[in-house]
Amino acid sequence: MSGTVETAGATAEDGAAGTAPVLRLDAVRKTYGRDSVVLRDVDLEVAPHTVTALIGASGSGKSTLLRCANLLEEIDDGAIFLDGEEITDPRADVDAVRRRIGVVFQAYNLFPHMTVLDNITLAPRRVHRIPRAEAEARAHELLERLGLGGRAGAYPDRLSGGQQQRVAIVRALACRPRLLLLDEITAALDPELVGEVLAVVRDLKDQGMTMVLATHEMGFAREVADQVCFLDGGVILERGAPEQLFGAPREERTRQFLQRIIQAGRL
């Protein structure tokens, strides 16, 4: 890959909000049915141009937290704010909110009958009403910068898993999101392809993109995150800077989790 990845960078929203968080969760609670509590009174703040990593065992609530932040899941209590605006208010324009948040899932979710270029430009053209020529120029620029310059006309089944995931990231960036949510984006990849996707995230961090990522890549979280949150049973049990949380965790449950990760050779 060459060059850098253009992001939203500093915006008028930053100037208006100062150092106010881009994303804030206040006492967010999410249940499935009567007895399954997935998120328990979660509080979280994500500052502009920072990376927050969510770690924890499978089923701890990481993915649900991201889905709630993008309003793909309806919360049962609490509130979520984007740049100070309560997006969980029933009067909020859900479509307008989602236009400001990019999401990349572990499954690439590319349309198999569309070319790479059409996958990327669909939302800018249909949702944001960006002229085709402008949307395609943006797509070509991003593809080139992510090492996919010759793949615009290819169909997803002609790409490797790592290439498909990079296309999914390009698709999320094409709409110039305020916030990028990444949900286990390397989980479905062969080990040899993980590095190329993580390199993209590293580049996005360097360019100032605000991100929240759920990951099992502990070494990567330690390297790129400004804030790490350990979830257990739907609760953010511990949070802190990477050097603190990975080097000197305060909670016994955090220490147990990290010890298993170390024994598995993943940290």
Side-chain angles (χ1 to χ4, degrees), residues 88-230:
T88 46
D89 187 311
R91 297 165 294 182
D93 184 338
V94 174
D95 291 334
V97 170
R98 290 179 179 154
R99 286 197 290 269
R100 298 163 63 195
I101 302 176
V103 185
V104 184
F105 299 102
Q106 59 178 281
Y108 323 123
N109 294 326
L110 301 177
F111 294 111
H113 63 290
M114 292 184 177
T115 64
V116 164
L117 185 63
D118 287 338
N119 265 281
I120 294 168
T121 60
L122 180 64
R125 290 189 294 107
R126 297 286 183 85
V127 179
H128 294 264
R129 304 299 181 186
I130 295 174
R132 177 183 289 273
E134 181 181 343
E136 291 186 351
R138 167 76 170 162
H140 282 295
E141 179 185 5
L142 288 169
L143 286 169
E144 187 67 35
R145 291 179 175 180
L146 269 69
L148 296 166
R151 297 294 191 170
Y155 286 88
D157 65 356
R158 306 305 298 174
L159 304 178
S160 70
Q163 289 172 329
Q164 289 187 61
Q165 193 61 289
R166 278 187 279 158
V167 170
I169 294 172
V170 170
R171 180 175 58 183
L173 293 174
C175 295
R176 302 181 187 273
R178 172 66 168 159
L179 172 68
L180 188 60
L181 307 177
L182 306 172
D183 186 15
E184 301 285 7
I185 59 172
T186 60
L189 298 178
D190 292 334
E192 63 183 10
L193 300 177
V194 169
E196 66 184 58
V197 174
L198 295 183
V200 173
V201 179
R202 190 179 294 110
D203 199 8
L204 291 174
K205 173 185 170 64
D206 291 342
Q207 294 302 305
M209 173 62 72
T210 306
M211 293 181 280
V212 182
L213 59 96
T215 184
H216 288 298
E217 300 289 339
M218 297 298 116
F220 185 70
R222 188 171 193 167
E223 174 192 348
V224 305
D226 299 285
Q227 170 182 222
V228 180
C229 299
F230 172 63

Side-chain angles (χ1 to χ4, degrees), residues 13-77:
E13 290 169 303
D14 287 336
T19 58
V22 172
L23 178 69
R24 189 175 96 238
L25 279 67
D26 286 351
V28 168
R29 185 177 180 86
K30 174 64 182 176
T31 62
Y32 292 122
R34 298 181 59 183
D35 302 319
S36 179
V37 182
V38 185
L39 296 176
R40 301 172 184 269
D41 303 321
V42 170
D43 294 320
L44 177 66
E45 289 191 357
V46 178
H49 315 302
T50 64
V51 177
T52 294
L54 309 177
I55 66 171
S58 296
S60 60
K62 305 185 301 296
S63 295
T64 300
L65 190 156
L66 294 181
R67 292 179 65 84
C68 288
N70 193 45
L71 306 183
L72 291 172
E73 296 279 0
E74 184 176 347
I75 65 174
D76 295 295
D77 202 1

